[in-house]
Amino acid sequence: MGLMDEDRLRRHDLTDEEWARLEPLLPAHPRQGHRWNDHRLVIDGIFFRTRTGCPWRDLPGHFGNWKTVYNRHRRWSGDGTWEMILDRLRAGCDQAEGPAWTVAADATVVRAHQHAAGARRAPPADVDPARLAPAALSTPLRPRGTGELRARETLGRSRGGLTSKIHLLADSGCRPLARVTSSGHRHDSLGFLPLMSQLKIARRGRGRPRTRPGRVLGDKAYSSRAIRAHLRARKIKAVIAQPADQVKDRRDRGRRGGRPPAFDTIAYKQRNTVERAFCHLRQHRAVASRYDKRDYVWRGTVDVASIRIWLRHPVP
């Protein structure tokens, strides 16, 4: 392999500054048994696959055995290591904005590759069943006949074929704060409450994680009485646009329609932060198209892409 090819394959590797931030957050070597292979080399292989979307078996040889790289990613997706690393990287990201901390919510549909279908019906025995279950969304009024396997792996049928959906909360720096995966045909609003329950920003010092932002931005898909009531009960300011049919219905009811909800047009302009966060995530091909059969492995892939975003845009 020439020097130019070597440099081209290593352009997604961790820099020394990124590795210095990531190394203290990695799990320690086991006390018994075989020690972990070089963390940096294996993680570089995981980042390469996440960024390029290549099959695991096609990883370049300088990352080592592809099975070692895949097993590390699968194991850390199943035991929550990636989520733990993300929580530590995000610690204190709300302090700069203080009480006015603003988050934005949205969802995007991801096309599932044909290789993402066909997972075994028996769940893996070495993973906690609680981590295999996707986020609990409300039951649709008219189920589309999805079986237990498809529901567990968050695959849904739409006009484009098999799809999955990523529900995301992002901060003003276009960085992911919380994510939920669901079948592609589920409505965006169904993932809002699970998203808010996952929002936990650790303190840099002592204290409980922060779970309540000062303001939540959302598009018309999140304009519902249940979501507005939930935010009102938690004393969170809702900046959510209203669809035209809701505006017309209120006007037609006259005085019985009540007052329209408050809407800050200036603050709503910041909602593009979550759209830009999706752009950062979709630069990783394994997120833009789902290749993983298991949902918990794909959730780990989304977390790996989020880790790379936080490493490049760290908390000051």
Side-chain angles (χ1 to χ4, degrees):
M1 182 182 297
L3 293 178
M4 293 184 60
D5 292 338
E6 183 75 15
D7 293 339
R8 177 174 55 84
L9 293 177
R10 291 189 177 277
R11 64 192 180 96
H12 302 306
D13 289 0
L14 289 165
T15 64
D16 293 338
E17 294 78 9
E18 293 173 347
W19 176 245
R21 288 192 292 268
L22 181 62
E23 186 178 16
L25 310 180
L26 300 178
H29 290 277
R31 294 184 179 181
Q32 298 179 351
H34 179 68
R35 288 172 58 88
W36 295 101
N37 287 7
D38 182 21
H39 272 323
R40 185 168 184 175
L41 181 63
V42 174
I43 292 176
D44 282 338
I46 295 173
F47 282 148
F48 180 89
R49 186 264 174 181
T50 304
R51 184 66 173 81
T52 61
C54 68
W56 289 103
R57 295 175 183 269
D58 294 343
L59 276 176
H62 66 265
F63 292 119
N65 190 341
W66 70 269
K67 190 68 173 178
T68 301
V69 181
Y70 167 74
N71 285 340
R72 187 80 54 89
H73 174 62
R74 176 187 174 277
R75 185 179 296 111
W76 285 3
S77 299
D79 62 11
T81 299
W82 293 128
E83 296 180 16
M84 178 271 295
I85 294 173
L86 258 179
D87 290 341
R88 295 183 181 181
L89 288 174
R90 290 190 295 240
C93 67
D94 62 309
Q95 295 181 359
E97 298 184 45
W101 182 42
T102 301
V103 302
D106 205 354
T108 185
V109 175
V110 175
R111 178 74 166 85
H113 195 269
Q114 61 181 356
H115 294 164
R120 297 180 179 179
R121 294 189 176 275
D126 58 341
V127 180
D128 185 3
R131 300 196 61 84
L132 291 175
L137 305 183
S138 60
T139 305
L141 295 179
R142 291 182 295 178
R144 298 193 178 186
T146 57
E148 178 184 357
L149 178 64
R150 187 177 296 176
R152 187 179 66 211
E153 308 305 344
T154 64
L155 291 172
R157 283 285 182 185
S158 62
R159 294 182 180 179
L162 289 175
T163 55
S164 297
K165 181 171 286 190
I166 302 175
H167 307 262
L168 192 71
L169 281 179
D171 67 353
S172 56
C174 310
R175 300 170 298 190
L177 297 174
R179 60 99 187 97
V180 168
T181 58
S182 70
S183 303
H185 63 275
R186 305 305 299 276
H187 196 267
D188 295 3
S189 62
L190 301 179
F192 183 81
L193 297 185
L195 268 180
M196 295 299 295
S197 65
Q198 287 196 6
L199 182 62
K200 298 177 181 178
I201 304 302
R203 307 287 186 181
R204 286 191 167 180
R206 300 180 60 183
R208 295 180 298 177
R210 182 173 181 180
T211 60
R212 190 177 65 181
R215 185 164 48 193
V216 173
L217 313 179
D219 59 12
K220 297 178 181 180
Y222 299 97
S223 180
S224 68
R225 293 182 180 179
I227 290 178
R228 294 184 186 274
H230 173 78
L231 296 177
R232 192 181 308 113
R234 299 187 61 191
K235 298 181 180 180
I236 302 174
K237 185 177 180 181
V239 183
I240 301 175
Q242 271 195 307
D245 60 337
Q246 292 184 6
V247 176
K248 182 178 182 300
D249 180 66
R250 178 177 289 104
R251 290 177 178 174
D252 293 343
R253 297 177 63 187
R255 294 183 178 180
R256 295 178 300 171
R259 295 181 178 180
F263 181 67
D264 191 339
T265 56
I266 302 300
Y268 188 71
K269 294 180 179 180
Q270 302 178 22
R271 201 192 64 82
N272 67 85
T273 55
V274 67
E275 304 287 356
R276 291 153 64 187
F278 278 128
C279 289
H280 293 321
L281 285 176
R282 283 182 172 274
Q283 289 179 4
H284 299 78
R285 300 297 183 264
V287 176
S289 296
R290 174 178 171 177
Y291 300 98
D292 301 301
K293 295 180 182 296
R294 298 290 188 183
D295 178 60
Y296 80 93
V297 179
W298 187 56
R299 292 200 303 260
T301 302
V302 178
D303 290 340
V304 168
S306 301
I307 288 173
R308 197 60 189 266
I309 294 174
W310 279 97
L311 287 174
R312 292 180 175 176
H313 306 281
V315 178

